[in-house]
Amino acid sequence: MAYAPVLVIVPQGDLQRSLSFLIEAEGFAVAHYGTLAEAFGSSAAANAACAIVDDKVIGSGQEIRSHAAAFPRPMILLVERPGLLPVLPRCVTLTKPFLGPALVEAVWTAASAPA
């Protein structure tokens, strides 16, 4: 059984493949994007369980603030240096490197959050 899609907003490469494998193994569909605008402007965003956002795609604090305010589901931010991004509602921060179980737990918690 596939659950609602998880938006994975990370540059293409090993991290994107690893995240996809981990999330799909939990039964979620994955929708990949390389930019915030592309992801949150997509049709998948309307039905997403949550979004995973890598700090490498975040251009400015204002850009992520506006997307977080408009996106009704939780976001999981993957960051190398915590504290550089603004505190955002419905956002959980995981510091890189992180272990797979921590991300899986964050996805399940986000997907279970009321809409």
Side-chain angles (χ1 to χ4, degrees), residues 80-100:
E80 287 184 14
R81 292 181 281 166
L84 293 181
L85 294 175
V87 175
L88 301 167
R90 297 181 316 278
C91 289
V92 172
T93 301
L94 289 180
T95 303
K96 297 187 265 183
F98 53 86
L99 297 176

Side-chain angles (χ1 to χ4, degrees), residues 56-111:
K56 290 186 177 26
V57 301
I58 298 172
S60 69
Q62 183 55 40
E63 181 183 21
I64 191 67
R65 270 191 206 95
S66 62
H67 287 296
F71 186 58
R73 301 297 302 150
M75 293 170 50
I76 301 163
L77 304 176
L78 308 178
V79 300
E80 287 184 14
R81 292 181 281 166
L84 293 181
L85 294 175
V87 175
L88 301 167
R90 297 181 316 278
C91 289
V92 172
T93 301
L94 289 180
T95 303
K96 297 187 265 183
F98 53 86
L99 297 176
L103 180 63
V104 167
E105 181 181 341
V107 168
W108 277 110
T109 300

Side-chain angles (χ1 to χ4, degrees), residues 24-79:
E24 288 170 345
E26 292 295 313
F28 290 94
V30 174
H32 301 109
Y33 300 96
T35 68
L36 296 171
E38 181 183 29
F40 294 117
S42 72
S43 60
N47 300 318
C50 65
I52 299 172
V53 181
D54 187 69
D55 60 359
K56 290 186 177 26
V57 301
I58 298 172
S60 69
Q62 183 55 40
E63 181 183 21
I64 191 67
R65 270 191 206 95
S66 62
H67 287 296
F71 186 58
R73 301 297 302 150
M75 293 170 50
I76 301 163
L77 304 176
L78 308 178
V79 300

